[in-house]
Amino acid sequence: MCYHELMKTLEQFKKEAFKRPGVRKAYAELQPELQIIKSIVLSRAKKGLSQRALAKKIGVTQSALARFESGNINPTLSFLKKVTSGLGLQLLVR
């Protein structure tokens, strides 16, 4: 399946899912967290770092970083600071 077919499928899924009560609201509420994760993953990829390499650099396990990147954990502020610092980024909360 190519990227465009996958995105079409994702868009179709979202369109159907948003018809269910509460899904649109829950999706909107998750956007800040998802945006942070997306930015970090893209930054890591842009710098050519694997999860394993970044995890070693910041002193966490690769599996902990993978759980964060998949959205399966609610990271602490300390964890976010480690990750952003390891990528040469500054964590800014507004």
Side-chain angles (χ1 to χ4, degrees):
M1 181 176 290
C2 75
Y3 175 78
H4 295 292
E5 290 173 333
L6 180 62
M7 291 310 294
K8 184 177 180 184
T9 302
L10 176 59
E11 289 305 315
Q12 289 170 337
F13 171 79
K14 284 171 50 178
K15 184 177 178 180
E16 289 299 314
F18 283 173
K19 291 178 183 177
R20 297 194 317 257
V23 172
R24 185 176 298 274
K25 181 181 179 209
Y27 181 82
E29 289 172 353
L30 284 173
Q31 287 313 296
E33 290 91 345
L34 295 175
Q35 195 59 38
I36 290 168
I37 294 168
K38 180 180 177 183
S39 295
I40 288 173
V41 170
L42 290 174
S43 180
R44 179 179 60 73
K46 185 177 178 182
K47 293 178 184 294
L49 289 171
S50 66
Q51 282 182 344
R52 186 173 308 279
L54 178 58
K56 184 175 181 178
K57 182 176 182 179
I58 64 174
V60 302
T61 64
Q62 181 272 329
S63 60
L65 186 58
R67 285 190 303 274
F68 163 70
E69 288 188 358
S70 67
N72 288 330
I73 63 166
N74 190 5
T76 63
L77 182 56
S78 174
F79 186 87
L80 284 173
K81 287 168 55 176
K82 278 184 187 181
V83 174
T84 54
S85 177
L87 291 168
L89 302 173
Q90 182 180 12
L91 181 62
L92 178 63
V93 180
R94 294 185 196 185

Coordinates of all heavy atoms in Angstrom, one line a residue:
M1 N 0.9 -1.2 0.0 CA 0.0 0.0 0.0 C 0.9 1.2 0.0 O 1.8 1.3 0.8 CB -0.9 0.0 1.2 CG -1.8 1.1 1.3 SD -3.0 1.1 2.7 CE -4.0 -0.3 2.3
C2 N 0.6 2.2 -0.9 CA 1.5 3.4 -1.0 C 1.0 4.4 0.1 O -0.1 4.3 0.6 CB 1.5 3.9 -2.4 SG -0.1 4.8 -2.8
Y3 N 1.8 5.4 0.3 CA 1.5 6.5 1.2 C 0.1 7.1 1.0 O -0.7 7.3 1.9 CB 2.6 7.5 1.2 CG 2.3 8.7 2.1 CD1 2.5 8.6 3.5 CD2 1.8 9.9 1.6 CE1 2.2 9.7 4.3 CE2 1.6 11.0 2.4 CZ 1.8 10.9 3.7 OH 1.5 12.0 4.5
H4 N -0.2 7.5 -0.3 CA -1.4 8.2 -0.6 C -2.7 7.3 -0.3 O -3.7 7.7 0.2 CB -1.4 8.7 -2.0 CG -0.4 9.7 -2.3 ND1 -0.5 11.0 -1.7 CD2 0.7 9.7 -2.9 CE1 0.5 11.7 -2.0 NE2 1.3 11.0 -2.8
E5 N -2.5 6.0 -0.6 CA -3.6 5.0 -0.3 C -3.8 4.9 1.2 O -4.9 4.9 1.7 CB -3.3 3.7 -0.9 CG -3.4 3.6 -2.4 CD -3.0 2.3 -2.9 OE1 -2.1 1.6 -2.3 OE2 -3.4 1.9 -4.0
L6 N -2.7 4.9 1.9 CA -2.8 4.8 3.4 C -3.4 6.0 4.0 O -4.3 5.9 4.9 CB -1.4 4.6 4.0 CG -1.3 4.5 5.5 CD1 -2.1 3.2 6.0 CD2 0.2 4.3 5.9
M7 N -3.0 7.2 3.5 CA -3.6 8.4 4.0 C -5.1 8.5 3.7 O -5.9 9.0 4.5 CB -2.9 9.6 3.5 CG -1.5 9.8 4.1 SD -1.4 9.6 5.9 CE -2.3 11.1 6.4
K8 N -5.5 8.0 2.5 CA -6.9 8.0 2.1 C -7.7 7.1 3.1 O -8.7 7.5 3.6 CB -7.1 7.6 0.7 CG -8.5 7.6 0.2 CD -8.6 7.2 -1.2 CE -10.0 7.3 -1.7 NZ -10.2 6.8 -3.1
T9 N -7.1 6.0 3.4 CA -7.7 5.1 4.3 C -7.8 5.7 5.7 O -8.9 5.6 6.4 CB -6.9 3.8 4.4 OG1 -6.9 3.2 3.1 CG2 -7.6 2.8 5.3
L10 N -6.8 6.4 6.2 CA -6.8 7.1 7.5 C -7.9 8.2 7.5 O -8.7 8.3 8.4 CB -5.5 7.7 7.8 CG -5.4 8.5 9.1 CD1 -5.8 7.6 10.3 CD2 -4.0 9.1 9.3
E11 N -8.0 8.9 6.4 CA -9.0 10.0 6.3 C -10.4 9.4 6.3 O -11.3 9.9 7.0 CB -8.8 10.9 5.1 CG -7.5 11.8 5.2 CD -7.6 12.6 6.5 OE1 -8.6 13.3 6.8 OE2 -6.5 12.7 7.1
Q12 N -10.6 8.3 5.7 CA -11.9 7.6 5.7 C -12.2 7.1 7.1 O -13.4 7.3 7.5 CB -11.9 6.4 4.7 CG -11.9 6.9 3.2 CD -11.7 5.7 2.3 OE1 -11.1 4.7 2.7 NE2 -12.1 5.9 1.0
F13 N -11.2 6.5 7.7 CA -11.4 6.1 9.1 C -11.8 7.2 10.0 O -12.8 7.1 10.8 CB -10.2 5.4 9.6 CG -10.2 5.1 11.1 CD1 -10.9 3.9 11.5 CD2 -9.6 5.9 12.0 CE1 -11.0 3.6 12.9 CE2 -9.7 5.6 13.4 CZ -10.4 4.5 13.8
K14 N -11.1 8.3 9.9 CA -11.4 9.5 10.8 C -12.8 10.0 10.5 O -13.6 10.3 11.4 CB -10.4 10.6 10.6 CG -9.1 10.3 11.3 CD -7.9 11.2 10.9 CE -8.3 12.7 11.0 NZ -7.1 13.6 10.7
K15 N -13.2 10.1 9.2 CA -14.5 10.6 8.9 C -15.6 9.7 9.5 O -16.6 10.2 10.1 CB -14.7 10.6 7.3 CG -16.0 11.2 6.8 CD -16.0 11.2 5.3 CE -17.3 11.8 4.8 NZ -17.4 11.8 3.4
E16 N -15.4 8.4 9.4 CA -16.4 7.5 10.0 C -16.4 7.6 11.6 O -17.4 7.6 12.2 CB -16.2 6.0 9.6 CG -16.5 5.8 8.1 CD -18.0 6.1 7.8 OE1 -18.8 5.6 8.6 OE2 -18.3 6.7 6.8
A17 N -15.2 7.6 12.1 CA -15.1 7.6 13.6 C -15.7 8.9 14.2 O -16.3 8.8 15.2 CB -13.6 7.5 14.0
F18 N -15.5 10.0 13.5 CA -16.0 11.3 14.0 C -17.5 11.3 14.1 O -18.1 12.2 14.7 CB -15.5 12.5 13.2 CG -14.0 12.8 13.5 CD1 -13.4 13.7 12.7 CD2 -13.3 12.2 14.5 CE1 -12.1 14.1 13.0 CE2 -12.0 12.6 14.8 CZ -11.4 13.5 14.0
K19 N -18.2 10.4 13.4 CA -19.6 10.3 13.5 C -20.1 9.8 14.8 O -21.2 10.0 15.2 CB -20.2 9.4 12.4 CG -20.0 10.0 11.0 CD -20.5 9.1 9.9 CE -20.2 9.6 8.5 NZ -20.7 8.7 7.5
R20 N -19.2 9.1 15.6 CA -19.6 8.5 16.9 C -19.5 9.6 17.9 O -18.6 10.4 17.9 CB -18.7 7.3 17.2 CG -18.9 6.2 16.2 CD -18.3 4.9 16.7 NE -17.0 5.0 17.3 CZ -15.8 4.6 16.7 NH1 -15.8 4.2 15.4 NH2 -14.7 4.7 17.3
P21 N -20.5 9.6 18.9 CA -20.5 10.6 19.9 C -19.2 10.6 20.7 O -18.6 9.6 21.1 CB -21.6 10.2 20.8 CG -22.5 9.3 20.0 CD -21.6 8.7 19.0
G22 N -18.6 11.8 21.0 CA -17.4 11.9 21.8 C -16.1 11.7 21.1 O -15.1 12.1 21.7
V23 N -16.1 11.1 20.0 CA -14.8 10.8 19.3 C -14.1 12.1 18.9 O -12.9 12.3 19.1 CB -15.0 9.9 18.1 CG1 -13.7 9.7 17.3 CG2 -15.5 8.5 18.6
R24 N -14.8 13.0 18.3 CA -14.2 14.3 17.8 C -13.6 15.1 19.0 O -12.5 15.6 18.9 CB -15.2 15.1 17.1 CG -14.6 16.4 16.4 CD -15.7 17.2 15.6 NE -16.2 16.5 14.5 CZ -15.6 16.4 13.3 NH1 -14.5 17.0 13.1 NH2 -16.2 15.7 12.3
K25 N -14.4 15.1 20.1 CA -13.9 15.8 21.3 C -12.6 15.2 21.8 O -11.7 15.8 22.2 CB -15.0 15.9 22.4 CG -14.6 16.6 23.6 CD -15.7 16.6 24.6 CE -15.2 17.4 25.9 NZ -15.8 16.9 27.1
A26 N -12.7 13.8 22.0 CA -11.5 13.1 22.5 C -10.3 13.3 21.6 O -9.2 13.5 22.0 CB -11.8 11.6 22.6
Y27 N -10.5 13.3 20.3 CA -9.4 13.5 19.3 C -8.8 14.9 19.5 O -7.6 15.1 19.5 CB -10.0 13.3 17.9 CG -9.0 13.5 16.8 CD1 -8.1 12.4 16.5 CD2 -8.8 14.7 16.1 CE1 -7.2 12.6 15.4 CE2 -7.9 14.8 15.1 CZ -7.1 13.8 14.8 OH -6.1 14.0 13.8
A28 N -9.7 15.9 19.6 CA -9.2 17.3 19.8 C -8.4 17.4 21.1 O -7.4 18.1 21.1 CB -10.4 18.2 19.8
E29 N -8.9 16.7 22.1 CA -8.2 16.8 23.4 C -6.8 16.2 23.4 O -5.9 16.6 24.1 CB -9.0 16.2 24.5 CG -10.3 17.0 24.9 CD -11.2 16.3 25.8 OE1 -11.0 15.1 26.2 OE2 -12.2 17.0 26.2
L30 N -6.6 15.2 22.5 CA -5.3 14.5 22.4 C -4.3 15.3 21.5 O -3.1 14.9 21.5 CB -5.5 13.1 21.8 CG -6.1 12.1 22.8 CD1 -6.4 10.8 22.0 CD2 -5.1 11.8 23.9
Q31 N -4.8 16.2 20.8 CA -3.9 16.9 19.8 C -2.6 17.5 20.4 O -1.5 17.4 19.8 CB -4.7 17.9 19.0 CG -5.6 17.3 18.0 CD -4.9 16.2 17.2 OE1 -4.0 16.4 16.4 NE2 -5.4 15.0 17.3
P32 N -2.7 18.2 21.5 CA -1.4 18.7 22.1 C -0.3 17.6 22.3 O 0.8 17.8 21.9 CB -1.8 19.4 23.4 CG -3.3 19.7 23.2 CD -3.8 18.6 22.3
E33 N -0.8 16.5 22.9 CA 0.2 15.4 23.2 C 0.7 14.8 21.9 O 1.9 14.6 21.7 CB -0.5 14.3 24.1 CG -0.7 14.8 25.5 CD -2.1 15.4 25.7 OE1 -2.8 15.7 24.7 OE2 -2.5 15.5 26.8
L34 N -0.2 14.6 21.0 CA 0.2 14.0 19.7 C 1.1 14.9 18.9 O 2.1 14.4 18.2 CB -1.0 13.6 18.9 CG -2.0 12.6 19.4 CD1 -3.2 12.4 18.6 CD2 -1.2 11.3 19.6
Q35 N 0.9 16.2 19.0 CA 1.8 17.2 18.3 C 3.2 17.2 18.9 O 4.2 17.2 18.2 CB 1.2 18.6 18.4 CG 1.8 19.5 17.4 CD 1.7 19.1 15.9 OE1 0.6 18.5 15.5 NE2 2.7 19.3 15.1
I36 N 3.3 17.1 20.2 CA 4.6 17.0 20.9 C 5.3 15.7 20.4 O 6.5 15.8 20.0 CB 4.5 17.0 22.4 CG1 4.0 18.4 22.9 CG2 5.8 16.6 23.1 CD1 3.6 18.4 24.3
I37 N 4.6 14.6 20.5 CA 5.3 13.3 20.1 C 5.7 13.4 18.6 O 6.8 13.0 18.3 CB 4.3 12.2 20.3 CG1 4.1 12.0 21.8 CG2 4.8 10.9 19.7 CD1 2.9 11.0 22.1
K38 N 4.8 13.9 17.7 CA 5.1 14.0 16.3 C 6.4 14.8 16.1 O 7.3 14.5 15.3 CB 4.0 14.5 15.5 CG 4.2 14.7 14.0 CD 3.0 15.2 13.4 CE 3.2 15.5 11.9 NZ 2.0 16.1 11.2
S39 N 6.4 16.0 16.7 CA 7.6 16.9 16.6 C 8.9 16.2 17.0 O 9.9 16.3 16.4 CB 7.4 18.2 17.4 OG 6.3 18.9 16.9
I40 N 8.8 15.5 18.1 CA 10.0 14.8 18.7 C 10.4 13.7 17.7 O 11.6 13.5 17.4 CB 9.8 14.3 20.1 CG1 9.8 15.6 21.0 CG2 10.8 13.3 20.5 CD1 9.4 15.3 22.5
V41 N 9.5 12.9 17.3 CA 9.9 11.8 16.4 C 10.5 12.3 15.1 O 11.5 11.8 14.6 CB 8.6 10.9 16.1 CG1 8.9 9.9 14.9 CG2 8.2 10.2 17.3
L42 N 9.9 13.4 14.5 CA 10.4 14.0 13.3 C 11.8 14.6 13.5 O 12.7 14.4 12.6 CB 9.4 15.0 12.7 CG 8.1 14.5 12.2 CD1 7.2 15.7 11.8 CD2 8.4 13.6 11.0
S43 N 12.0 15.2 14.6 CA 13.3 15.8 14.9 C 14.3 14.7 15.1 O 15.5 14.8 14.6 CB 13.2 16.6 16.2 OG 14.5 17.1 16.5
R44 N 14.0 13.6 15.8 CA 14.9 12.5 15.9 C 15.3 11.9 14.6 O 16.4 11.6 14.3 CB 14.3 11.4 16.8 CG 15.2 10.2 17.0 CD 14.6 9.1 17.9 NE 13.3 8.6 17.5 CZ 13.2 7.7 16.4 NH1 14.3 7.3 15.8 NH2 12.0 7.2 16.1
A45 N 14.3 11.7 13.7 CA 14.5 11.1 12.4 C 15.4 12.1 11.5 O 16.3 11.6 10.8 CB 13.2 10.8 11.7
K46 N 15.1 13.4 11.6 CA 15.8 14.4 10.9 C 17.3 14.3 11.3 O 18.2 14.5 10.4 CB 15.2 15.7 11.1 CG 15.9 16.8 10.3 CD 15.2 18.1 10.5 CE 15.8 19.3 9.7 NZ 15.2 20.6 10.0
K47 N 17.6 14.1 12.5 CA 19.0 14.1 13.0 C 19.6 12.7 12.8 O 20.8 12.5 13.1 CB 19.0 14.4 14.5 CG 18.6 15.8 14.8 CD 18.6 16.2 16.2 CE 18.1 17.6 16.5 NZ 19.0 18.6 16.0
G48 N 18.9 11.8 12.2 CA 19.4 10.4 11.9 C 19.7 9.6 13.1 O 20.5 8.7 13.0
L49 N 18.9 9.8 14.2 CA 19.1 9.0 15.4 C 18.1 7.9 15.5 O 16.9 8.2 15.2 CB 19.0 9.9 16.6 CG 20.1 10.9 16.9 CD1 19.7 11.8 18.1 CD2 21.3 10.1 17.3
S50 N 18.5 6.7 15.8 CA 17.5 5.6 16.0 C 17.0 5.8 17.5 O 17.6 6.6 18.3 CB 18.2 4.3 15.9 OG 19.2 4.2 17.0
Q51 N 15.9 5.1 17.8 CA 15.4 5.2 19.1 C 16.5 4.7 20.1 O 16.7 5.3 21.2 CB 14.2 4.3 19.3 CG 12.9 4.9 18.8 CD 11.7 3.9 19.0 OE1 11.9 2.7 19.3 NE2 10.6 4.5 18.9
R52 N 17.2 3.6 19.7 CA 18.2 3.1 20.6 C 19.3 4.1 20.9 O 19.8 4.2 22.0 CB 18.8 1.8 20.0 CG 19.8 1.1 20.8 CD 20.3 -0.3 20.3 NE 19.2 -1.1 19.9 CZ 18.5 -1.9 20.7 NH1 18.7 -1.9 22.0 NH2 17.5 -2.7 20.2
A53 N 19.8 4.8 19.8 CA 20.9 5.8 20.0 C 20.4 6.9 20.9 O 21.2 7.4 21.7 CB 21.3 6.3 18.6
L54 N 19.2 7.4 20.6 CA 18.8 8.5 21.5 C 18.6 8.1 22.9 O 18.9 8.8 23.8 CB 17.4 9.1 20.9 CG 16.8 10.3 21.7 CD1 17.8 11.4 21.9 CD2 15.5 10.8 21.1
A55 N 18.0 6.9 23.1 CA 17.8 6.4 24.4 C 19.1 6.3 25.2 O 19.2 6.7 26.4 CB 17.1 5.0 24.4
K56 N 20.1 5.7 24.5 CA 21.4 5.6 25.2 C 22.0 7.0 25.5 O 22.5 7.2 26.6 CB 22.4 4.9 24.2 CG 23.7 4.6 24.8 CD 24.6 3.8 23.9 CE 25.9 3.5 24.6 NZ 26.8 2.6 23.8
K57 N 21.8 7.9 24.6 CA 22.3 9.3 24.8 C 21.7 10.0 26.0 O 22.4 10.7 26.8 CB 22.1 10.1 23.6 CG 22.6 11.5 23.6 CD 22.4 12.2 22.3 CE 22.9 13.6 22.3 NZ 22.7 14.3 21.0
I58 N 20.4 9.7 26.3 CA 19.7 10.4 27.4 C 19.6 9.5 28.6 O 19.0 10.0 29.6 CB 18.3 10.9 26.9 CG1 17.4 9.8 26.5 CG2 18.5 11.9 25.8 CD1 16.0 10.3 26.2
G59 N 20.0 8.3 28.6 CA 20.0 7.4 29.7 C 18.7 6.8 30.1 O 18.4 6.6 31.2
V60 N 18.0 6.4 29.0 CA 16.7 5.7 29.2 C 16.8 4.4 28.4 O 17.6 4.3 27.5 CB 15.4 6.5 28.9 CG1 15.4 7.8 29.8 CG2 15.4 6.9 27.4
T61 N 15.9 3.5 28.6 CA 15.8 2.3 27.7 C 15.2 2.7 26.4 O 14.3 3.6 26.3 CB 15.1 1.2 28.4 OG1 13.7 1.6 28.6 CG2 15.7 0.8 29.8
Q62 N 15.5 1.9 25.4 CA 14.9 2.0 24.1 C 13.4 1.8 24.2 O 12.6 2.5 23.6 CB 15.6 1.1 23.1 CG 15.0 1.2 21.7 CD 13.8 0.3 21.4 OE1 13.7 -0.7 22.0 NE2 12.9 0.8 20.5
S63 N 13.0 0.8 25.0 CA 11.6 0.5 25.1 C 10.8 1.6 25.8 O 9.7 1.9 25.4 CB 11.4 -0.8 25.9 OG 11.9 -0.7 27.2
A64 N 11.4 2.4 26.7 CA 10.8 3.5 27.3 C 10.5 4.6 26.3 O 9.5 5.2 26.2 CB 11.6 4.0 28.5
L65 N 11.5 4.8 25.5 CA 11.4 5.8 24.4 C 10.4 5.4 23.4 O 9.6 6.2 22.9 CB 12.8 6.1 23.7 CG 12.8 7.2 22.7 CD1 12.4 8.5 23.3 CD2 14.2 7.3 22.1
A66 N 10.3 4.1 23.1 CA 9.3 3.6 22.1 C 7.9 3.8 22.7 O 7.0 4.1 21.9 CB 9.6 2.1 21.8
R67 N 7.7 3.5 23.9 CA 6.4 3.7 24.6 C 6.0 5.1 24.5 O 4.8 5.4 24.2 CB 6.4 3.1 26.0 CG 6.4 1.6 26.1 CD 6.1 1.2 27.5 NE 7.1 1.7 28.5 CZ 8.3 1.1 28.8 NH1 8.6 0.0 28.2 NH2 9.1 1.6 29.7
F68 N 6.9 6.0 24.8 CA 6.6 7.5 24.7 C 6.2 7.8 23.2 O 5.2 8.5 23.0 CB 7.8 8.3 25.1 CG 7.8 9.7 24.7 CD1 6.8 10.6 25.2 CD2 8.6 10.2 23.7 CE1 6.7 11.9 24.8 CE2 8.5 11.5 23.3 CZ 7.6 12.4 23.8
E69 N 7.1 7.4 22.3 CA 6.8 7.8 20.9 C 5.5 7.2 20.3 O 4.9 7.7 19.4 CB 8.0 7.4 20.0 CG 9.2 8.3 20.2 CD 10.3 8.0 19.2 OE1 10.1 7.1 18.3 OE2 11.3 8.7 19.2
S70 N 5.1 6.1 20.9 CA 3.8 5.5 20.5 C 2.6 6.1 21.2 O 1.5 5.7 20.9 CB 3.9 4.0 20.6 OG 3.9 3.6 22.0
G71 N 2.9 6.9 22.2 CA 1.8 7.5 22.9 C 1.2 6.6 24.0 O 0.1 6.9 24.5
N72 N 1.9 5.6 24.4 CA 1.4 4.6 25.3 C 1.7 4.9 26.8 O 1.4 4.2 27.7 CB 1.9 3.2 25.0 CG 1.3 2.6 23.8 OD1 0.2 2.9 23.5 ND2 2.0 1.8 23.1
I73 N 2.4 6.0 27.0 CA 2.7 6.5 28.4 C 2.4 8.0 28.5 O 2.4 8.7 27.5 CB 4.1 6.2 28.8 CG1 5.1 7.0 28.0 CG2 4.4 4.7 28.9 CD1 6.5 7.0 28.6
N74 N 2.2 8.4 29.7 CA 2.1 9.8 30.0 C 3.4 10.2 30.6 O 3.6 10.0 31.8 CB 0.9 10.0 30.9 CG 0.5 11.5 31.1 OD1 1.1 12.4 30.4 ND2 -0.4 11.8 32.0
P75 N 4.3 10.8 29.8 CA 5.6 11.1 30.3 C 5.7 12.2 31.4 O 4.8 13.1 31.4 CB 6.4 11.6 29.0 CG 5.3 12.2 28.2 CD 4.1 11.4 28.5
T76 N 6.7 12.1 32.2 CA 6.9 13.2 33.2 C 7.6 14.4 32.5 O 8.1 14.2 31.4 CB 7.8 12.7 34.3 OG1 9.1 12.4 33.8 CG2 7.2 11.5 35.0
L77 N 7.5 15.5 33.1 CA 8.2 16.7 32.6 C 9.7 16.4 32.5 O 10.4 16.8 31.6 CB 7.9 17.9 33.5 CG 8.6 19.2 33.1 CD1 8.1 19.6 31.7 CD2 8.2 20.3 34.0
S78 N 10.2 15.7 33.5 CA 11.6 15.3 33.5 C 12.0 14.5 32.3 O 13.0 14.7 31.6 CB 12.0 14.5 34.8 OG 13.3 14.1 34.8
F79 N 11.1 13.5 31.9 CA 11.4 12.7 30.7 C 11.4 13.5 29.5 O 12.2 13.4 28.6 CB 10.3 11.6 30.7 CG 10.6 10.6 29.6 CD1 11.4 9.5 29.8 CD2 10.0 10.7 28.3 CE1 11.7 8.6 28.8 CE2 10.3 9.8 27.3 CZ 11.1 8.7 27.5
L80 N 10.4 14.4 29.4 CA 10.3 15.3 28.2 C 11.5 16.2 28.1 O 12.1 16.4 27.0 CB 9.1 16.2 28.2 CG 7.7 15.5 27.9 CD1 6.6 16.4 28.2 CD2 7.7 15.0 26.5
K81 N 12.0 16.7 29.2 CA 13.2 17.5 29.2 C 14.4 16.7 28.7 O 15.3 17.2 28.0 CB 13.4 18.1 30.6 CG 12.5 19.3 30.8 CD 12.4 19.7 32.3 CE 13.7 20.2 32.8 NZ 13.6 20.7 34.2
K82 N 14.6 15.5 29.2 CA 15.7 14.6 28.7 C 15.6 14.4 27.2 O 16.7 14.5 26.6 CB 15.6 13.2 29.4 CG 16.1 13.1 30.8 CD 16.0 11.7 31.2 CE 16.4 11.5 32.7 NZ 16.3 10.1 33.1
V83 N 14.5 14.1 26.7 CA 14.3 13.8 25.3 C 14.6 15.0 24.5 O 15.4 14.9 23.5 CB 12.9 13.2 25.0 CG1 12.7 13.1 23.5 CG2 12.7 11.9 25.7
T84 N 14.0 16.1 24.8 CA 14.3 17.4 24.0 C 15.7 17.8 24.1 O 16.3 18.2 23.1 CB 13.3 18.5 24.4 OG1 13.4 18.7 25.8 CG2 11.9 18.2 24.1
S85 N 16.3 17.7 25.3 CA 17.7 18.1 25.5 C 18.6 17.2 24.6 O 19.6 17.6 24.0 CB 18.1 18.0 27.0 OG 19.5 18.3 27.1
G86 N 18.3 15.9 24.6 CA 19.1 14.9 23.9 C 19.0 15.2 22.4 O 19.9 14.8 21.6
L87 N 18.0 15.9 21.9 CA 17.8 16.2 20.5 C 18.4 17.6 20.2 O 18.2 18.1 19.1 CB 16.4 16.1 20.1 CG 15.8 14.7 20.0 CD1 14.3 14.7 19.9 CD2 16.5 13.9 18.9
G88 N 18.9 18.3 21.2 CA 19.3 19.6 21.1 C 18.2 20.6 20.9 O 18.4 21.7 20.4
L89 N 17.1 20.3 21.5 CA 15.9 21.2 21.5 C 15.6 21.8 22.8 O 16.1 21.3 23.8 CB 14.6 20.3 21.1 CG 14.7 19.6 19.7 CD1 13.5 18.7 19.5 CD2 14.8 20.6 18.6
Q90 N 14.9 22.8 22.9 CA 14.5 23.4 24.1 C 13.0 23.2 24.3 O 12.2 23.5 23.4 CB 14.8 24.9 24.1 CG 14.5 25.6 25.4 CD 14.8 27.1 25.4 OE1 15.1 27.6 24.3 NE2 14.8 27.7 26.5
L91 N 12.6 22.7 25.5 CA 11.2 22.5 25.8 C 10.6 23.8 26.3 O 11.1 24.4 27.2 CB 11.0 21.4 26.9 CG 9.6 21.1 27.3 CD1 8.8 20.5 26.2 CD2 9.6 20.1 28.5
L92 N 9.6 24.3 25.5 CA 9.0 25.6 25.8 C 7.5 25.4 26.0 O 6.8 24.8 25.1 CB 9.2 26.6 24.7 CG 8.6 27.9 24.8 CD1 9.2 28.7 26.0 CD2 8.9 28.7 23.6
V93 N 7.0 25.7 27.2 CA 5.6 25.6 27.5 C 5.0 27.0 27.5 O 5.4 27.9 28.2 CB 5.4 24.9 28.9 CG1 3.9 24.7 29.1 CG2 6.1 23.5 28.9
R94 N 3.9 27.1 26.7 CA 3.2 28.4 26.7 C 1.8 28.3 27.2 O 1.1 27.4 27.1 CB 3.1 28.9 25.2 CG 4.4 29.2 24.7 CD 4.2 29.8 23.3 NE 5.5 29.8 22.6 CZ 5.6 30.3 21.4 NH1 4.7 30.9 20.8 NH2 6.8 30.3 20.8

